[in-house]
Amino acid sequence: MQSGIYVSLSSQIALERRLTTIADNMANVNTAGFRATDVKFDEVMSNTQNEQNAKIAFVSQGNDYLSTRQGQFDNTGNPLDFAVKGDAWFAIDTPVGQVLTRDGRFTLKDTGELVSSQGYPVLDAGGAPIQIDRTGGEISVAIDGTIRQNDTQVGSIGIFKADISKGFVRYENSGVITTDRPQPVVDDSTSGVMQGYVEQSNVNGIAEMTQLIQVNRAFESVSALMRDSETSIQEAIKTLGGSA
């Protein structure tokens, strides 16, 4: 009976983590460039010490992963708004180092430095900040990230790839810091920069709400099961102890 309580407890821990993930996704449903987080849980088998050598299945702590589904592209017409086509990221220089982001709402500082919406320098493929002449004319950016003014190349916006499955942590809203070192994208026709567009969050609000309801119901069911198990144990103790 106690094993049933332990299994139920592991399930509640997993469900609580799933609830936290859903809440974070819902909080960022309108965050530009945000990629939803999901959790993968595995079954963990444990041998009990009895004559049958029975096995009990527990739920693992779970591993976070990012949804690679692309968010909706909104055409803003702003020459300093950018979206990443394909499974790649922009890179920005922050106080904690290089951070990847899909939020391409950039602006120009008075110094001509291209910065993110939070004011962090946007990096080129070599990892250097991008400088643009504010008086140099109209800015056009090609699919490969090349920046031109008056038909003259003045820089390039870098896009990067990293194996996020090896581990990551969130940075502010849409940024991620990866365990795997990001590498610049070179000669990849599946990835590129789109000028005048902003990628919205890839969170499906309706799907997340549906999952929230399902997880809440599952949590309540497990709680009821634990209460029943505790009641059964108490009744068994009373019976074995000879109590009325």
Side-chain angles (χ1 to χ4, degrees):
M1 291 183 182
Q2 287 182 332
S3 296
I5 293 178
Y6 295 147
V7 170
S8 298
L9 182 59
S10 75
S11 177
Q12 279 192 322
I13 293 172
L15 289 170
E16 183 180 21
R17 183 169 181 181
R18 187 70 189 98
L19 280 172
T20 300
T21 300
I22 293 174
D24 183 56
N25 288 341
M26 290 298 297
N28 289 281
V29 69
N30 293 316
T31 300
F34 183 84
R35 286 206 155 175
T37 307
D38 207 341
V39 185
K40 179 182 179 182
F41 297 102
D42 296 315
E43 185 179 63
V44 178
M45 304 300 294
S46 174
N47 290 327
T48 59
Q49 301 299 318
N50 55 35
E51 295 179 356
Q52 291 78 29
N53 196 31
K55 292 184 176 181
I56 300 176
F58 295 90
V59 181
S60 70
Q61 294 182 350
N63 295 309
D64 291 345
Y65 67 92
L66 291 184
S67 168
T68 58
R69 183 179 64 254
Q70 189 164 272
Q72 176 181 322
F73 282 2
D74 286 349
N75 186 348
T76 66
N78 184 340
L80 293 179
D81 281 343
F82 303 95
V84 180
K85 167 193 170 187
D87 189 20
W89 304 74
F90 297 116
I92 54 178
D93 187 22
T94 74
V96 299
Q98 183 172 310
V99 171
L100 301 181
T101 181
R102 302 272 299 188
D103 184 357
R105 296 173 299 167
F106 301 154
T107 57
L108 277 180
K109 296 177 68 175
D110 292 339
T111 58
E113 188 174 37
L114 188 67
V115 297
S116 69
S117 57
Q118 291 82 26
Y120 301 127
V122 180
L123 304 179
D124 61 19
I130 299 170
Q131 290 287 144
I132 298 175
D133 184 359
R134 292 181 62 90
T135 62
E138 182 178 350
I139 298 171
S140 64
V141 179
I143 191 71
D144 63 355
T146 300
I147 305 172
R148 293 183 177 276
Q149 288 181 294
N150 294 326
D151 294 328
T152 300
Q153 182 175 343
V154 296
S156 65
I157 298 176
I159 54 174
F160 298 78
K161 286 190 176 183
D163 187 354
I164 299 180
S165 66
K166 292 182 178 179
F168 72 95
V169 293
R170 294 277 188 186
Y171 184 78
E172 295 186 351
N173 289 333
S174 61
V176 295
I177 303 172
T178 59
T179 301
D180 184 45
R181 184 179 179 83
Q183 299 296 326
V185 175
V186 180
D187 296 330
D188 184 354
S189 60
T190 64
S191 301
V193 178
M194 298 181 63
Q195 185 178 22
Y197 290 85
V198 169
E199 181 182 8
Q200 298 304 319
S201 170
N202 72 348
V203 174
N204 185 324
I206 296 176
E208 292 291 330
M209 283 298 298
T210 301
Q211 290 187 48
L212 181 62
I213 295 171
Q214 293 173 342
V215 172
N216 272 317
R217 287 176 177 172
F219 195 93
E220 292 171 358
S221 296
V222 173
S223 296
L225 178 61
M226 290 184 69
R227 288 193 296 269
D228 291 343
S229 296
E230 290 173 354
T231 300
S232 297
I233 292 175
Q234 291 172 358
E235 292 297 327
I237 291 174
K238 287 180 182 180
T239 301
L240 294 174
S243 300

